[in-house]
Amino acid sequence: MSGDPFKWTALSFWIGGLMLVVTSIVIYVWNVLNDITALGALMGAMLMSTTFFTYIGLSPAARDERARKIGTLSATCSWYITLLFTGMVLAFDIWSGRPFEAPKLLATIVFIMTASMMVTHVWFSRRGDIE
């Protein structure tokens, strides 16, 4: 295992994120919450959470100030998107008369949070100067 440690961190973060996205899609589409999906969600969350602060630039070994700004802004946007989406789902759940099931709701929240974090991080890092 040689090379830049940040590349291995980014790879672990993306593998964990993709595992969470795929697991949440499986839970939502097939309405399956069993040991395999729980293990996939656990492994994805473990990979993502162990490398989260290094990936967004908040660890002591962070690369530069720009990486810290991008990571902080992308995490903040991800939380706001997830909060907005959860509020909309709650409103639809109350007013539609068709309640959401807990596994589907959890899978949707995990999918939105993970996907929005990954997409906003890539978008801000390619955008240029961050203020």
Side-chain angles (χ1 to χ4, degrees):
M1 211 186 246
S2 64
D4 186 15
F6 184 75
K7 289 182 182 179
W8 289 106
T9 300
L11 180 67
S12 297
F13 183 84
W14 277 88
I15 289 172
L18 290 175
M19 286 176 74
L20 280 173
V21 167
V22 168
T23 302
S24 61
I25 289 172
V26 167
I27 291 171
Y28 191 82
V29 171
W30 287 291
N31 202 16
V32 173
L33 186 60
N34 57 18
D35 292 342
I36 303 222
T37 54
L39 187 62
L42 179 65
M43 292 294 290
M46 207 166 52
L47 279 173
M48 214 172 155
S49 64
T50 56
T51 59
F52 178 74
F53 289 111
T54 305
Y55 183 73
I56 66 170
L58 295 177
S59 72
R63 298 185 306 168
D64 58 2
E65 185 65 28
R66 183 176 181 272
R68 285 189 180 123
K69 287 181 181 179
I70 290 171
T72 304
L73 189 59
S74 64
T76 303
C77 287
S78 171
W79 278 99
Y80 281 134
I81 290 168
T82 305
L83 185 63
L84 178 70
F85 187 79
T86 305
M88 289 184 344
V89 166
L90 180 63
F92 291 146
D93 184 38
I94 291 170
W95 291 324
S96 70
R98 182 178 167 229
F100 284 91
E101 299 167 358
K104 284 190 175 186
L105 185 61
L106 180 64
T108 304
I109 290 172
V110 167
F111 175 79
I112 294 296
M113 185 174 285
T114 306
S116 64
M117 172 68 185
M118 293 162 62
V119 168
T120 55
H121 193 276
V122 169
W123 185 60
F124 286 132
S125 63
R126 297 195 190 285
R127 196 172 131 193
D129 193 22
I130 302 294
E131 293 185 22

